[in-house]
């Protein structure tokens, strides 16, 4: 059994056996043989006082404009998405391009549980027990070339499955990107589950990105393409309103959205607001990535 | 087939508190129209309480209440503005006498909207509200609309009409056209991206303005 622990996670626990078996079933349902399963790790990257949000909150209050702009639209309408089978196209500056099904993308890696804060740019937040794989492990097996400076992700474009795409509320398909060092950071996850269960459609099934120190819109959902590129990708919200949303989108209480404050946030389930932490509380782990950068300009 | 007639007579009798006298307009307003308006005006509040008890206000109830009360203010203002053309259309002169109550319900929900925001978003820190008003244009616009509603509510009693003088009072109360315009701008400005709903409200408001203008013109036209 392989139990890896990254030094960036404040504390960690080993999951109990029943959780382990449930996960094994899930992995098997994705097409992984039992041999490929490694003991998962449960890591809490939030403080002990912070409660995990409920299943209902995490899966019933979402921004996923591909299914409508209301917070409850994704849960109501994401049933049209068909997440299995699924392939991800790997392209660009990479030694092993091609079409990957999820077993090929993740097979042999350990399915981890990470409890992270999630902070939306709209100033609400939650605490979510994600399940997934560190993006760095996936990137390593894809072997990007030295020209790869950024990673670009693309969401499925299919108005049949995603009826919200019939309206041009955003330029479809949804695109997001990370700098290579951000993508390789141990906190960055490709997520395929939540609460130890398969990721529901409304949360971005079957595979989405989670970058816990950035605003939620960086966490692109239902990914069909991963492209390694030399130039900074143009992410969708920036393309749509560049004075309001930037490429970096690091959680920053000192840089307000032009129309509302980012100094505080409301944790779902709480009535009062609480202060927002720099880098969403992960400054110790990630502030170094941005040393020397003016975060007011690079918002 | 005389049952319906007897029934009508008894209703009229109940309103006028006598079976012989005809129903006066004042009795009709006091005993029928106003109670119905109170019930209608408190219905949104009742819905909110019902939804709160049944945990039906999404995962972010404060936002849900803010949105609901904000839309309610606008809907009631639209109804207020519709009263005059509706009176011309139907000939029901008593409609003019309930306009004040309808307008006051708009103010009631505006108070609720602001108090919820102050309490839960700003923890009753008034300096933060001041900062919001200065720094965030959508709040500046909303606050201006709120001040207008406050002014109209405070000057709405008959005694205030007498104190201000009819002409001045009327000029002041023309602000009732400005409040919903500012409200709709505030609504659109608060959205992240999708402004379909504010545009629908703007279209309805535009329609009401056109309707009012049309009905005033018709009244002034000779013959
Ligand atoms: C000081 C006064 C006011 C403050 C501080 C205020 C504040 C707010 C806030 C914080 C929101 C929510 C924005 C969000 O989605 O995050 C909102 C929404 C709204 N407000 Fe106000 N508001 C004020 C006055 C008014 C007035 C007077 C009206 C109506 C004439 C109004 C109508 C609305 C509407 C329609 C919405 C949007 C509802 C929705 O998105 O469904 N507000 N307001």
């Amino acid at each position: 059994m392989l139990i890896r622990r990254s030094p960036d996670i404040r504390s960690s626990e080993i999951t109990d056996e029943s959780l382990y078996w449930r996960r094994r079933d899930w992995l098997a349902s994705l097409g992984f043989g039992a041999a490929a399963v490694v003991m998962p790790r449960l890591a809490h990257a939030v403080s002990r006082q912070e409660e995990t949000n409920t299943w209902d909150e995490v899966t019933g209050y979402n921004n996923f404009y591909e299914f409508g702009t209301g917070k409850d639209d994704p849960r109501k309408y994401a049933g049209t998405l068909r997440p299995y089978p699924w392939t991800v196209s790997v392209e660009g500056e990479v030694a092993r391009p091609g079409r990957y099904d999820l077993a090929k993308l993740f097979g042999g890696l350990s399915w981890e549980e990470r409890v992270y804060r999630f902070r939306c740019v709209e100033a609400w937040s939650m605490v979510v027990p994600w399940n997934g794989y560190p993006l760095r492990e996936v990137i390593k097996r894809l072997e990007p070339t030295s020209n790869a400076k950024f990673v670009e992700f693309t969401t499925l474009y299919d108005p049949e499955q995603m009826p919200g795409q019939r309206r041009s509320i955003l330029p479809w398909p949804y695109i997001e990107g990370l700098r290579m060092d951000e993508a390789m950071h141990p906190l960055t996850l490709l997520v395929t589950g939540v609460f130890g269960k398969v990721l529901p459609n409304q949360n971005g099934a079957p595979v989405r990105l989670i970058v816990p120190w950035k605003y939620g819109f960086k966490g692109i959902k239902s990914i069909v393409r991963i492209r390694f590129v030399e130039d900074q990708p143009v992410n969708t919200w920036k393309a749509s309103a560049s004075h309001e949303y930037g490429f970096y989108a690091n959680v920053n209480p000192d840089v307000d959205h032009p129309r509302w404050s980012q100094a505080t946030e409301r944790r779902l389930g709480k009535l009062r607001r609480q202060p927002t932490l720099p880098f969403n509380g992960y400054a110790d782990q990630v502030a170094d990535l941005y040393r020397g950068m003016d975060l007011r300009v690079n918002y | 087939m005389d049952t319906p007639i007897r029934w009508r007579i008894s209703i009229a009798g109940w309103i006028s508190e006598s079976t012989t006298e005809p129903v006066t307009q004042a009795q009709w307003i006091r005993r029928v129209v106003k109670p119905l308006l109170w019930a209608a005006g408190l219905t949104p509040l009742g819905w909110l309480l019902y939804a709160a008890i049944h945990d039906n206000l999404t995962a972010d109830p404060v936002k849900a209440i803010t949105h609901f009360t904000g839309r309610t203010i606008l809907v009631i203002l639209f109804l207020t503005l519709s009263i005059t053309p509706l009176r011309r259309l139907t000939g029901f002169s008593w409609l003019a006498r309930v306009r004040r109550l309808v307008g006051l319900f708009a103010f009631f929900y505006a108070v609720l909207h602001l108090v919820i925001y102050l309490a839960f978003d700003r923890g009753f820190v008034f300096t933060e509200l001041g900062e919001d008003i200065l720094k965030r244009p959508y709040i500046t616009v909303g606050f201006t609309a709120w001040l207008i509603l406050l002014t109209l509510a405070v000057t709405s009693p008959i005694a205030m009409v007498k104190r201000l003088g009819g002409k001045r009072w009327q000029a002041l109360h023309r602000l009732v056209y400005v409040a919903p315009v500012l409200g709709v701008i505030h609504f659109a400005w608060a959205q992240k991206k999708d402004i379909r709903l504010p545009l629908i409200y703007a279209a309805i408001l535009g329609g009401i303005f056109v309707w009012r203008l049309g009905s005033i013109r018709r009244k002034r036209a000779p013959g």
Side-chain angles (χ1 to χ4, degrees):
Chain A
M1 289 292 154
L2 177 60
I3 303 161
R4 270 180 297 107
R5 180 168 187 271
S6 100
D8 305 277
I9 310 297
R10 269 185 220 147
S11 59
S12 75
E13 292 172 354
I14 308 304
T15 38
D16 66 42
E17 207 172 349
S18 67
L19 264 180
Y20 165 64
W21 282 107
R22 252 194 284 145
R23 273 181 208 145
R24 216 188 63 147
D25 288 344
W26 181 79
L27 288 166
S29 81
L30 264 185
F32 299 169
V37 179
V38 207
M39 181 63 122
R41 177 195 59 194
L42 181 71
H44 278 268
V46 300
S47 76
R48 285 286 167 208
Q49 293 91 303
E50 289 175 274
E51 273 173 58
T52 302
N53 280 87
T54 64
W55 168 266
D56 208 43
E57 287 160 344
V58 171
T59 65
Y61 197 80
N62 310 97
N63 277 324
F64 197 174
Y65 283 12
E66 282 80 346
F67 298 103
T69 52
K71 295 283 183 292
D72 51 351
D73 286 345
R75 175 159 63 183
K76 277 193 272 181
Y77 304 122
T80 47
L81 177 68
R82 296 185 302 272
Y84 306 102
W86 192 269
T87 50
V88 177
S89 172
V90 174
E91 303 172 10
E93 299 288 345
V94 64
R96 306 167 70 96
R99 298 182 70 75
Y100 287 72
D101 63 19
L102 297 188
K104 200 164 134 203
L105 203 58
F106 301 125
L109 301 178
S110 71
W111 203 54
E112 302 185 5
E113 172 155 309
R114 301 266 186 100
V115 183
Y116 284 158
R117 294 179 203 95
F118 179 95
R119 169 64 157 80
C120 179
V121 73
E122 297 165 4
W124 53 270
S125 66
M126 49 191 179
V127 173
V128 187
W130 301 112
N131 303 89
Y133 307 88
L135 175 60
R136 60 182 295 154
E137 303 302 331
V138 177
I139 290 180
K140 276 188 205 153
R141 66 168 50 168
L142 300 176
E143 297 175 24
T145 70
S146 59
N147 286 336
K149 302 285 187 292
F150 294 90
V151 194
E152 181 193 87
F153 304 86
T154 307
T155 295
L156 174 70
Y157 177 75
D158 180 356
E160 292 285 310
Q161 293 187 59
M162 297 180 151
Q165 291 174 332
R166 295 207 181 103
R167 288 181 57 223
S168 49
I169 180 98
L170 287 174
W172 309 115
Y174 196 91
I175 287 172
E176 259 307 338
L178 293 173
R179 217 168 56 188
M180 207 52 164
D181 56 346
E182 298 174 324
M184 292 298 285
H185 194 280
L187 285 177
T188 306
L189 285 190
L190 279 179
V191 164
T192 57
V194 68
F195 291 97
K197 297 194 170 81
V198 183
L199 197 64
N201 287 358
Q202 63 267 31
N203 293 86
V207 56
R208 69 170 296 172
L209 185 68
I210 282 294
V211 194
W213 70 94
K214 292 178 182 286
Y215 292 122
F217 70 83
K218 293 297 287 184
I220 183 169
K221 304 187 182 85
S222 305
I223 297 167
V224 292
R225 184 161 65 229
I226 300 179
R227 206 155 66 95
F228 293 86
V229 293
E230 210 167 342
D231 299 322
Q232 182 174 300
V234 180
N235 50 317
T236 296
W237 275 104
K238 182 177 175 181
S240 152
S242 63
H243 57 292
E244 299 193 336
Y245 311 98
F247 174 75
Y248 286 96
N250 293 320
V251 176
N252 190 341
D254 299 326
V255 178
D256 284 346
H257 185 280
R259 287 179 287 150
W260 57 81
S261 165
Q262 297 292 23
T264 60
E265 67 200 47
R266 179 155 35 242
R267 188 62 56 81
L268 296 186
K270 299 263 191 298
L271 288 180
R272 306 295 280 278
R273 286 171 171 250
Q274 61 190 60
T276 288
L277 303 171
F279 297 105
N280 206 19
Y282 302 102
D284 288 351
Q285 292 96 319
V286 302
D288 276 349
L289 298 176
Y290 309 101
R291 183 140 296 162
M293 276 175 66
D294 184 348
L295 296 176
R296 293 194 165 271
V297 180
N298 297 289
Y299 51 88
Chain B
M1 293 297 281
D2 55 4
T3 325
I5 298 167
R6 263 194 11 230
W7 190 73
R8 215 163 60 211
I9 287 171
S10 69
I11 291 271
W14 170 72
I15 292 168
S16 66
E17 294 168 323
S18 119
T19 44
T20 50
E21 284 165 44
V23 180
T24 68
Q25 193 186 56
Q27 284 166 333
W28 161 251
I29 291 173
R30 195 178 68 242
R31 305 210 59 178
V32 177
V33 178
K34 289 218 165 151
L36 285 176
L37 279 180
W38 272 92
L42 291 174
T43 301
L45 180 66
W47 184 88
L48 266 182
L49 293 174
Y50 178 85
I53 289 164
H54 289 81
D55 200 12
N56 214 352
L57 287 172
T58 79
D60 193 346
V62 175
K63 185 167 266 181
I65 295 172
T66 308
H67 287 184
F68 182 76
T69 50
R71 291 179 202 181
T72 304
I73 308 166
L74 281 177
V75 169
I76 298 177
L77 285 175
F78 292 174
L79 292 174
T80 316
L81 289 176
S82 303
I83 285 180
T84 302
L86 204 62
R87 196 187 71 205
R88 301 240 163 85
L89 188 75
T90 60
F92 293 155
S93 60
W94 52 265
L95 277 168
R97 299 175 58 176
V98 299
R99 209 168 36 177
R100 171 167 180 252
L101 181 62
V102 179
L104 284 175
F105 270 114
F107 179 62
F108 170 73
Y109 287 101
V111 170
L112 215 59
H113 186 68
L114 179 58
V115 166
I116 293 285
Y117 178 76
L118 256 177
F120 296 115
D121 280 330
R122 291 292 166 257
F124 280 119
V125 182
F126 285 85
T127 52
E128 286 187 11
L129 177 68
E131 214 175 282
D132 276 346
I133 291 168
L134 294 178
K135 265 173 65 179
R136 314 208 180 284
Y138 89 95
I139 302 275
T140 317
V141 170
F143 185 66
T144 311
W146 197 90
L147 285 182
I148 290 176
L149 294 182
L150 172 71
T151 310
L152 298 185
V154 167
T155 58
S156 70
I158 301 288
M160 287 304 284
V161 184
K162 292 195 180 124
R163 254 179 68 185
L164 287 169
K167 275 235 159 66
R168 265 166 56 205
W169 186 90
Q170 219 171 19
L172 181 67
H173 276 245
R174 292 243 159 78
L175 284 173
V176 75
Y177 301 108
V178 181
V181 171
L182 295 179
V184 169
I185 294 171
H186 163 78
F187 187 178
W189 220 333
Q191 305 304 307
K192 194 161 79 171
K193 185 78 198 174
D194 190 355
I195 57 162
R196 267 182 309 173
L197 196 60
L199 285 179
I200 291 171
Y201 276 63
I204 294 172
L205 182 58
I208 293 172
F209 281 156
V210 169
W211 186 27
R212 280 185 70 102
L213 268 177
S215 85
I216 289 167
R217 279 236 192 82
R218 262 197 307 284
K219 186 189 147 208
R220 284 189 189 148

